[in-house]
Amino acid sequence: MKMRMDYNNMLSSRVSDGITQQELDKLSASIKKANKAMVDKRAAGKMAWRDLPYNQEGAVKEINDYVNEMKDEIDAFVVLGIGGSALGPMAVQQALNHPWWNELPREKRNGFPKLYVLDNVDPERLVYFFQTVDPTRCLYNVISKSGSTSETMSQFMIIQQMLEEKVGKEAARRKIVCTTDAVSGNLITIAKAEGYKYFIIPSAVGGRFSELTPVGLLPAAFCGIDIKGLLVGAAAMDEACKEEDIYKNPAHMYALLHYIGMTKGKNISVMMPYADSLKFISDWYAQLWAESLGKQFDNDGKTVNVGQTPVKTLGVTDQHSQVQLYAEGPFDKIIVFLGVDEYRETITIPKTYADMPSLGFLGGVTHNKLIKTEQDATEYAITKSGRMNMTLTLPKVTASTLGQLLYFFEVATAYAGELLNIDAFDQPGVEEGKNATYAMFGRPGYEEKKAELDAAPAKDDKYII
């Protein structure tokens, strides 16, 4: 089963301010340059995430063996992570498992534990979590490549202390598993010193491109998901993304169309899945697209301030909250519909009010047909309004097709970075906020940043109401 991309409604033949064939042709030199850069960087090991579909076999075996060893000892698998290490596991879980997984009795989860993802340091979060579960019946997965991520490591320190107080240091060792770098950073040092089980994130793979490493594979496997299937799907998409012909390479074409859209003032990328299973794909995509492409400087040091703002929506829910803006508001968006051909369940509307024309037409119709019809109708309305849009379709949401989709977005993001002439793999804007936090807490080595913060002008009380 192959993912499809329909970009007819991005073109001037379909929408009033769409992309012309001449605009596509004009970029042939840029396309060739970007194609070469993708090949060269991969060959040089600068896109190590592109090899993940082929080199995780050992990790898959180790993960599955560990799951079989541990799953019967625990009630819940708890992810301590932030950014990609939280968004990826949530997206995969929502896509491939029952939407109310944690509410199902264990036998309906085929003996697998519940999944919780703790991705924020709101002080109420952990307290209420401990009131919800038996915290000593959980396995805590600490995910941090550096081991210095303040949010994740603070959660870990709280949980480590709690476990040691409740079950003792020896028993606590078996309730913590780390996912981190093989050599450098605090977390690998701690894991080895404390005797925690650990899994390795390949050193050259960045956080938001790490879902197909143990970062995402371990939580998925603990919920019974076919992690090998995710990698098989990603490998299939990788083959499609090796095509030099832009018209045969879906991820490159997706990036190119968005790049041209940006030059035409389309600075917002709307992701609108028409399936609850794909709801959190929008959240995962938002980080990938925003953090990778939102940059102040290009590769030549020139100030460019580029990037598209990703917006997450859900069809049909947000037809009643956002589509009015998309249809009649500013011409500054590209809407991406994300649909499925076949849903996993079917439910039919009863013929209850046949005598009421405004309801009777629904009788005997399935929700499957209703949601698909609403997707098609919204696409029509948006297109009629002259707004750029495209549709990505999965034949069915499976491990393989989801692997295709995740990998597709990763390649598209990298290719968009090449077209924009930026580094899609760093995040200096994020680092500035991290460094300011460290300085405010007096972390050694950040004295200069602390002096900078202290020298900042005070806020004027006049403008505080």
Side-chain angles (χ1 to χ4, degrees), residues 204-397:
V205 176
R208 56 189 178 274
F209 291 84
S210 66
E211 178 57 23
L212 298 177
T213 74
V215 167
L217 299 180
L218 182 63
F222 263 100
C223 294
I225 289 169
D226 175 15
I227 58 176
K228 187 174 181 181
L230 288 169
L231 295 168
V232 168
M237 181 55 69
D238 182 55
E239 288 302 311
C241 294
K242 289 177 182 176
E243 283 280 357
E244 289 189 18
D245 183 348
I246 195 79
Y247 294 97
K248 295 180 181 178
N249 190 319
H252 286 194
M253 178 57 79
Y254 182 94
L256 178 64
L257 294 170
H258 279 75
Y259 169 74
I260 297 174
M262 284 183 242
T263 68
K264 296 164 74 74
K266 308 297 181 284
N267 295 318
I268 297 173
S269 173
V270 177
M271 182 63 58
M272 194 167 192
Y274 272 78
D276 276 6
S277 60
L278 299 175
K279 177 179 180 179
F280 290 147
I281 291 295
S282 293
D283 296 71
W284 175 82
Y285 170 80
Q287 186 212 6
L288 180 70
W289 201 248
E291 200 164 82
S292 299
L293 303 183
K295 299 294 159 64
Q296 180 178 358
F297 302 107
D298 69 10
N299 291 328
D300 302 317
K302 180 182 176 183
T303 300
V304 288
N305 296 114
V306 297
Q308 265 185 331
T309 300
V311 172
K312 56 183 183 180
T313 63
L314 179 68
V316 299
T317 301
D318 288 313
Q319 288 174 202
H320 298 270
S321 66
Q322 297 184 38
V323 166
Q324 171 64 32
L325 173 66
Y326 303 159
E328 295 189 3
F331 283 76
D332 59 355
K333 303 169 191 69
I334 293 174
I335 295 97
V336 179
F337 297 106
L338 182 53
V340 299
D341 289 329
E342 181 184 347
Y343 293 85
R344 289 183 288 248
E345 303 291 344
T346 300
I347 190 166
T348 303
I349 305 165
K351 298 179 180 180
T352 307
Y353 297 105
D355 58 334
M356 297 183 180
S358 60
L359 293 177
F361 77 97
L362 291 171
V365 174
T366 64
H367 266 179
N368 310 57
K369 184 175 182 179
L370 179 59
I371 192 171
K372 181 59 179 170
T373 301
E374 293 207 43
Q375 177 186 337
D376 292 343
T378 304
E379 177 190 338
Y380 168 77
I382 292 295
T383 303
K384 184 179 178 181
S385 297
R387 314 306 168 113
M388 287 189 190
N389 66 89
M390 63 169 68
T391 300
L392 305 175
T393 305
L394 302 185
K396 190 175 182 178
V397 181

Side-chain angles (χ1 to χ4, degrees), residues 56-67:
Q56 293 298 288
E57 185 176 344
V60 167
K61 183 181 185 309
E62 185 181 3
I63 286 169
N64 284 332
D65 288 347
Y66 182 60
V67 170

